[in-house]
Amino acid sequence: MILGVIKPYPSPLISGRGIDVDFPMLAGCLALLGLGLVMITSASSEVAAVQSGNPLYMMMRHLVYLVIGLGACGVTMMIPVSTWQRLGWLMLIGAFGLLVMVLVPGLGREVNGSMRWIGFGMFNVQPSEIAKVFVVIFLAGYLVRRQQEVRESWMGFFKPFIVLLPMAGLLLMEPDFGATVVMMGAAAAMLFLGGVGLFRFTLMVVLAVGAVFVLVQAQPYRMARLITFTDPWSDQFGSGYQLTQALIAFGRGEWFGVGLGNSVQKQFYLPEAHTDFVFAVLAEELGVVGSLITVGLFVFVSIRAMYIGMWAERAKQYFAAYVAYGLAFLWIGQFLINIGVNVGLLPTKGLTLPFLSYGGSSLVICCASLGLLLRIEWEARTNTGSEETEFNESDFTEEPTHGR
């Protein structure tokens, strides 16, 4: 079955042109991955030294995840986009299965009060990261199959929520409020780009805001976070502790930072310094200039992903276009929430920073998503959007046109 899914030739990795990928996109993501490895090495050194006796322990684990992620990126580039479209329903069922499994005692692992991981020996898998991508693939297929219905009828608009709302409920049971917001936000953006009318889209936004308000009110800890982030110094040693320490890190960094490896906040002052708050450590060590360069890289890869969707749409490969848009919105959502939390614009949420934060599931899924985007760009550019298309060597001997 695996050999039937993976088709090494033709692909962006193996063709008459050699490696034929969108190099600007690849370079931007590799730069983020390299920066992430450097920052994980710095931000985790103190914690790793205490927990394992080796200051490079978490760096080595992150490097293993990085190798796995790059392998996943390469494999994904060899899978035709039409295969993802055909397997959309199976992926949706798999996503539901994983989200149910993580809630089963004995299977799911609890960390910091949340059941978000399934343990496999030394490694933990976070099903929500996989589920978000599978939802994007399923919804892209739905928008292609029911395009007219989505644009013209209320039923076509509401049908996706029969799937999305139960999945959001499973995420909230973990609880993982941040992943729920990112997934539903990406789905809403895809529906809008799929042609949902402005009135229905506005109604959906109003209902979503109302649902968020109700969910915040339903849990005391969420309400406490919402109140605290507006004035973290009012309880700087309690619920506002993480944010105040992050803000101190930003203040110490000034324009050019205190120097790589010289962060004080990573020395047990700032909790989760190598995961959720790695950007605060980056700001402390590299300053405003380093922070803005990092934000610039994120903006570049996000816009590039949107352009890949636009190129696929121009090539009339609509499923691929919706997938690219969805993946771009997943990255944008996590980026905005993580940065917003770090700088105090949003309440504290446990969301990793794509490509940068320590976390195997997030890193591998980001790399696999990159591979899918590179495959979409290649198929749009070479007009090879159907796996039934027959190829010969002459189809791949022209001069490469990657980079647009």
Side-chain angles (χ1 to χ4, degrees):
M1 181 178 178
I2 295 177
L3 293 177
V5 170
I6 299 175
K7 297 188 176 182
Y9 182 86
S11 75
L13 292 178
I14 306 174
S15 71
R17 299 170 179 170
I19 298 177
D20 185 18
V21 299
D22 181 17
F23 282 112
M25 182 66 167
L26 180 61
C29 290
L30 288 178
L32 286 172
L33 288 171
L35 179 61
L37 180 61
V38 172
M39 292 313 305
I40 294 303
T41 304
S42 175
S44 68
S45 58
E46 302 296 331
V47 175
V50 170
Q51 292 183 352
S52 67
N54 179 4
L56 298 180
Y57 174 74
M58 290 185 179
M59 182 275 285
M60 291 187 291
R61 284 179 62 89
H62 188 79
L63 191 58
V64 171
Y65 290 133
L66 182 56
V67 172
I68 295 172
L70 292 176
C73 177
V75 170
T76 306
M77 278 192 279
M78 291 188 287
I79 301 176
V81 176
S82 57
T83 301
W84 297 102
Q85 185 174 7
R86 189 175 68 249
L87 299 178
W89 272 103
L90 291 176
M91 292 179 184
L92 183 68
I93 295 171
F96 271 109
L98 288 171
L99 291 178
V100 170
M101 285 174 61
V102 78
L103 298 174
V104 176
L107 290 178
R109 286 187 176 178
E110 184 175 345
V111 179
N112 295 332
S114 298
M115 295 278 288
R116 300 180 185 176
W117 294 268
I118 298 175
F120 293 95
M122 294 179 60
F123 300 97
N124 291 330
V125 175
Q126 191 170 0
S128 60
E129 295 291 341
I130 302 172
K132 287 184 292 187
V133 174
F134 284 3
V135 164
V136 164
I137 293 171
F138 163 76
L139 189 55
Y142 174 82
L143 289 172
V144 170
R145 293 190 306 271
R146 305 286 185 177
Q147 187 176 58
Q148 200 70 19
E149 189 178 357
V150 168
R151 293 179 176 180
E152 296 179 356
S153 73
W154 283 93
M155 186 58 66
F157 169 67
F158 281 119
K159 278 182 180 178
F161 292 97
I162 298 174
V163 171
L164 292 172
L165 291 178
M167 187 164 288
L170 289 171
L171 287 171
L172 290 172
M173 289 173 67
E174 296 182 4
D176 195 343
F177 188 66
T180 306
V181 171
V182 170
M183 183 189 75
M184 297 300 286
M190 290 175 68
L191 285 169
F192 181 72
L193 292 175
V196 170
L198 185 60
F199 175 73
R200 281 176 287 163
F201 181 77
T202 304
L203 177 63
M204 177 176 59
V205 172
V206 171
L207 291 175
V209 172
V212 169
F213 179 78
V214 171
L215 290 171
V216 168
Q217 293 279 353
Q219 293 290 340
Y221 79 92
R222 291 179 188 146
M223 196 64 190
R225 286 181 177 179
L226 183 63
I227 295 172
T228 303
F229 99 96
T230 59
D231 184 14
W233 302 102
S234 63
D235 190 14
Q236 60 178 309
F237 298 111
S239 57
Y241 181 75
Q242 279 183 305
L243 180 53
T244 56
Q245 296 302 315
L247 293 176
I248 290 171
F250 279 95
R252 292 191 74 252
E254 298 184 350
W255 284 102
F256 298 101
V258 297
L260 189 62
N262 294 328
S263 168
V264 171
Q265 294 305 104
K266 71 181 181 182
Q267 298 178 13
F268 304 99
Y269 292 102
L270 179 60
E272 311 296 338
H274 57 295
T275 54
D276 301 343
F277 285 89
V278 68
F279 188 75
V281 177
L282 183 149
E284 184 182 3
E285 296 189 347
L286 304 182
V288 172
V289 174
S291 300
L292 290 178
I293 291 173
T294 304
V295 170
L297 282 172
F298 273 113
V299 171
F300 171 75
V301 298
S302 298
I303 292 177
R304 192 74 180 182
M306 295 293 289
Y307 268 102
I308 288 174
M310 184 181 68
W311 295 330
E313 194 168 1
R314 285 179 178 174
K316 302 187 184 303
Q317 297 173 9
Y318 297 110
F319 170 79
Y322 291 135
V323 170
Y325 292 142
L327 294 177
F329 283 118
L330 288 181
W331 287 0
I332 292 169
Q334 284 198 226
F335 163 69
L336 290 177
I337 291 176
N338 184 279
I339 300 295
V341 166
N342 274 252
V343 300
L345 293 176
L346 293 172
T348 303
K349 287 309 306 165
L351 272 180
T352 56
L353 189 58
F355 296 105
L356 251 73
S357 292
Y358 177 83
S361 297
S362 175
L363 186 65
V364 172
I365 292 300
C366 281
C367 290
S369 300
L370 169 62
L372 182 51
L373 285 167
L374 293 175
R375 176 79 193 199
I376 290 170
E377 189 276 336
W378 178 78
E379 288 194 5
R381 175 163 42 85
T382 58
N383 295 314
T384 54
S386 172
E387 65 174 350
E388 284 79 26
T389 303
E390 296 293 334
F391 304 101
N392 55 57
E393 185 67 26
S394 63
D395 292 325
F396 300 94
T397 54
E398 301 174 3
E399 288 297 315
T401 57
H402 48 256
R404 297 187 183 269

